[in-house]
Amino acid sequence: MALKWYTKVPDNKFYKNLENNITDGAPSEAFLWPEYLTKKQNGSYGYIMKLRPQGYYEFGKFLLAEHQFKSMEAMLNAARKICDGFAKLHLQGKSYQDLNDGNFFINPTNGDVLICDNDNVMPNREKSGILGKARYMAPEVVGGKAPETTTDRFSLSVILFLLFYGNHPFEGARVAACPCLTENFEKKFYGSEITFIYDEQNKTNRPVRGVHDNVIALWPAFPQLLRDTFKTQFGEECLKNPSKRLIEREWQKVISQLRD
């Protein structure tokens, strides 16, 4: 088991939410879910969860090419399992709220996935006080809206794009030309002026050769189905109307078609 301890203590609402999540139980075996909550000790506390088993590596290590999938089947299985985990979480009426590349451990041999850092999980539309990382947040969250299920689905699409293409869907020429990615620039590139790198109408943010070589090589390598799906998910309609975003089961259908 692993013990996570808070030295800077979140409020009582956070403690009570952990208690409720432990009582409800994990949405599926994919979650390294809080299992026991400690008593408060000198104003601080922690919780116990299962320890990550051997053979699972951080998703970020895959993005740095420190680990690679053993087969295309393993990659597709990882994508499917990520979608399945969040489908079951959302069926419980909860949202993750801080979805990013640090939340997953993946087995490169078979694509099995473990989802960690589940202390951010809250009932849908309730604020945990944690908004997430700008590169993964939905533009409406960057603009100040509270995270919820549809914003999770935007973050899920970003994670899947990174999984398949190895580069970020909104980091092209505009971001590469930025001298320093300040908070104001983050709000612009991931919020108010967010632009997909393969947007059909706006070509100002195309990938840059020598910087975004992964996506340049891989974009034409996958079937048209996947390209069209991402163009839709990162297009103007889904950016402005979150209800249009694919639910997890629809993503699983796309992944099944890719596998076929």
Side-chain angles (χ1 to χ4, degrees):
M1 307 295 283
L3 170 66
K4 182 171 183 177
W5 195 267
Y6 298 98
T7 54
K8 293 183 178 180
V9 185
D11 58 24
N12 285 330
K13 178 182 177 182
F14 192 88
Y15 188 90
K16 183 64 178 175
N17 184 67
L18 279 171
E19 279 188 321
N20 292 338
N21 285 344
I22 290 168
T23 299
D24 293 343
S28 76
E29 292 182 357
F31 290 84
L32 295 175
W33 199 253
E35 294 191 13
Y36 303 97
L37 188 61
T38 74
K39 295 180 180 178
K40 294 181 181 179
Q41 304 286 327
N42 299 318
S44 63
Y45 56 86
Y47 70 85
I48 291 174
M49 58 187 165
K50 284 187 173 65
L51 193 65
R52 173 185 57 172
Q54 290 186 338
Y56 289 77
Y57 305 98
E58 293 178 20
F59 181 35
K61 301 291 186 183
F62 290 79
L63 299 177
L64 295 172
E66 294 181 21
H67 292 285
Q68 294 180 328
F69 288 102
K70 300 298 183 184
S71 65
M72 181 61 67
E73 181 72 20
M75 176 188 279
L76 292 169
N77 193 43
R80 184 183 62 79
K81 291 214 164 189
I82 290 171
C83 293
D84 182 68
F86 284 93
K88 289 176 178 173
L89 176 72
H90 292 155
L91 282 172
Q92 283 193 348
K94 298 175 181 178
S95 59
Y96 193 86
Q97 303 204 359
D98 184 22
L99 187 54
N100 61 72
D101 62 11
N103 302 138
F104 305 100
F105 297 121
I106 303 176
N107 185 316
T109 302
N110 57 21
D112 194 33
V113 172
L114 296 172
I115 303 169
C116 61
D117 289 340
N118 298 296
D119 42 5
N120 305 316
V121 171
M122 297 284 289
N124 199 30
R125 295 187 177 86
E126 283 193 23
K127 295 182 179 180
S128 67
I130 298 171
L131 295 177
K133 295 182 180 180
R135 298 175 70 237
Y136 301 89
M137 289 190 288
E140 62 267 28
V141 177
V142 176
K145 181 183 175 183
E148 42 97 9
T149 301
T150 60
T151 63
D152 273 3
R153 287 173 179 149
F154 175 89
S155 303
L156 174 63
S157 294
V158 173
I159 290 293
L160 292 174
F161 191 92
L162 284 162
L163 181 73
F164 288 119
Y165 295 111
N167 285 129
H168 195 281
F170 302 105
E171 293 175 2
R174 296 172 71 220
V175 176
C178 181
C180 180
L181 201 58
T182 63
E183 184 178 347
N184 285 337
F185 276 122
E186 284 187 341
K187 288 180 178 179
K188 177 179 176 180
F189 295 141
Y190 305 111
S192 61
E193 297 182 22
I194 192 167
T195 305
F196 180 42
I197 55 176
Y198 283 110
D199 188 287
E200 292 184 331
Q201 309 302 322
N202 186 344
K203 300 181 180 181
T204 62
N205 198 31
R206 286 288 186 264
V208 177
R209 195 166 297 280
V211 180
H212 309 113
D213 290 340
N214 287 339
V215 72
I216 290 171
L218 293 170
W219 182 248
F222 283 96
Q224 185 71 40
L225 168 68
L226 191 60
R227 295 195 292 274
D228 289 344
T229 302
F230 279 119
K231 285 179 183 179
T232 301
Q233 292 308 296
F234 297 138
E236 186 173 358
E237 186 175 15
C238 284
L239 290 175
K240 292 185 175 180
N241 188 349
S243 66
K244 298 287 186 180
R245 293 169 187 161
L246 284 186
I247 65 172
E248 296 76 16
R249 297 302 183 200
E250 291 169 336
W251 263 118
Q252 287 180 299
K253 290 177 183 177
V254 170
I255 294 164
S256 293
Q257 288 178 269
L258 282 176
R259 183 179 57 195
D260 293 344

